Amino acid sequence: MPQTQSGAERLHALMARGNAFLGVECAIMGGAMTWLSERTLVSAISNAGGFGVIACGAMSPELLLQEIRATKALTDKPFGVNLITIHHQLKELVDVCIEEKMSHVVLAGGLPPGWAISALKDAGIKSICFAPTASLGKKLVRSGVDALVVEGSEAGGHIGPVSTSILAQEILPEIRDVPVFIAGGIGRGEALGAYLEMGASGVQLGTRFVCATESTAHPKFKKAFLRASARDAITSVQLDARFPVIPVRALKNEGAKRFMEAQREMIARVDRGELEIKDAQLEIEKFWAGALRRAVVEGDVEHGSVMAGQSVGLVKTEEPVSEILAQLLRQATCYLERMAPDGCDEMGAAR
């Protein structure tokens, strides 16, 4: 009879495609979190064997160039850059990534323009895009995208309407041409193991890394995470069908109430003819950017935006990135070995 693979061997085999694509030891991507996914956290994730991703957000090309070079000074391992497709200087940002010979670029925030995918491919840079449905995922693959991220509504920040588990069931059986990474609500290694078995090449985590020792988040921001439960991470509400607002998941606080007031104000200004709807939507995005900075950088967790995924309830302590990744891998190994409940301790280590 053939020898049964151990959990560690099984995990290595299931992650092989994702590891090869990213050029890492474990196919765990860091979610791009504005004000958080910067040189210190990104390099820590990559140095620990994962794949760090810089959140470009609203950075200028000059600032992105500085951040990439600062990150390179801290790690010689692969890392990526997340670019928002609606950025008014997207071409210049793509040029920076090409100039710096980045290995991977994540295009987020909407359908990426064809020229961006082509420019990255011509430069030998792998492109990664978000797929909210199987049909759109297939379209992205046909357009030349090298990998996909499937992110469910359990995630923090701007989210779609469908849960991670449903999207995984919809997309993983349908798309095999390129590596697919699963994101949203992942906080333990058992979920990593389960999604790998379903056909994923790896996962992406954001919330789990916020309280990493290397995270530059304000201590009050981290404390809010450590105190929160899953049900505290709620989504914003759209008040007017004429005024589409992408929902944001964050911890409930006074800032969430202020967003409702900001929406009402924007709707009223549109009704009075003072603003076009697209300009009002831009004002809302500026609201979120400012509110997030107040919370992450300044520590105003009551009036700022404490964006967090529902996996925040699984964040129990501040610890190094290397230990977070080690825990995830231990837990995934135990899951894949189908151990009895008393076969592993709560941190995923064999007893």
Side-chain angles (χ1 to χ4, degrees), residues 4 10 20 91 112 133 135 152 159 186 231 333 340 345 351:
T4 303
R10 179 70 174 148
K91 185 182 184 304
T133 65
S135 59
I159 57 171
I186 301 172
R231 67 181 60 193
T333 297
D345 65 21
R351 294 187 190 281

Side-chain angles (χ1 to χ4, degrees), residues 278-348:
K278 61 179 179 63
D279 294 326
Q281 288 174 313
L282 180 59
E283 289 300 314
I284 288 296
E285 290 307 310
K286 290 180 180 178
F287 171 92
W288 281 124
L292 182 60
R293 188 185 191 284
R294 283 198 298 275
V296 174
V297 179
E298 299 171 14
D300 185 355
V301 296
E302 185 53 36
H303 300 98
S305 177
V306 187
M307 293 187 185
Q310 290 183 313
S311 61
V312 68
L314 300 172
V315 180
K316 303 297 184 183
T317 186
E318 184 173 355
E319 56 194 339
V321 164
S322 59
E323 181 54 28
I324 293 172
L325 289 178
Q327 287 174 20
L328 292 166
L329 296 177
R330 289 197 299 267
Q331 291 160 355
T333 297
C334 282
Y335 168 83
L336 292 170
E337 286 179 349
R338 301 289 201 274
M339 293 180 70
D342 60 351
C344 294
D345 65 21
E346 63 179 5
M347 301 308 291

Side-chain angles (χ1 to χ4, degrees), residues 252-285:
K252 55 186 177 185
N253 63 359
E254 189 65 29
K257 296 178 183 177
R258 287 192 175 186
F259 171 63
M260 300 296 283
E261 295 169 1
Q263 266 198 89
R264 291 190 184 94
E265 179 186 347
M266 291 302 111
I267 292 168
R269 292 183 66 186
V270 169
D271 287 341
R272 293 196 298 265
E274 298 175 6
L275 278 179
E276 296 289 334
I277 287 182
K278 61 179 179 63
D279 294 326
Q281 288 174 313
L282 180 59
E283 289 300 314
I284 288 296
E285 290 307 310

Side-chain angles (χ1 to χ4, degrees), residues 144-189:
V145 167
D146 297 298
L148 300 173
V149 175
V150 174
E151 183 176 68
S153 59
E154 298 94 322
H158 289 79
I159 57 171
V162 183
S163 71
T164 303
S165 62
I166 298 300
L167 286 176
Q169 292 175 78
E170 177 187 356
I171 294 175
L172 288 176
E174 295 291 325
I175 298 180
R176 303 286 188 177
D177 309 59
V178 300
V180 178
F181 298 84
I182 303 297
I186 301 172
R188 287 183 57 94

Side-chain angles (χ1 to χ4, degrees), residues 171-240:
I171 294 175
L172 288 176
E174 295 291 325
I175 298 180
R176 303 286 188 177
D177 309 59
V178 300
V180 178
F181 298 84
I182 303 297
I186 301 172
R188 287 183 57 94
E190 291 87 351
L192 164 62
Y195 285 126
L196 288 172
E197 285 196 310
M198 289 177 66
S201 295
V203 296
Q204 175 183 285
L205 282 73
T207 298
R208 189 70 177 81
F209 290 121
V210 169
C211 288
T213 306
E214 298 90 343
S215 166
T216 57
H218 194 283
K220 290 182 179 179
F221 193 86
K222 291 185 178 181
K223 186 175 291 185
F225 268 60
L226 297 175
R227 290 176 173 174
S229 67
R231 67 181 60 193
D232 293 325
I234 62 173
T235 57
S236 58
V237 178
Q238 179 176 310
L239 296 180
D240 192 319

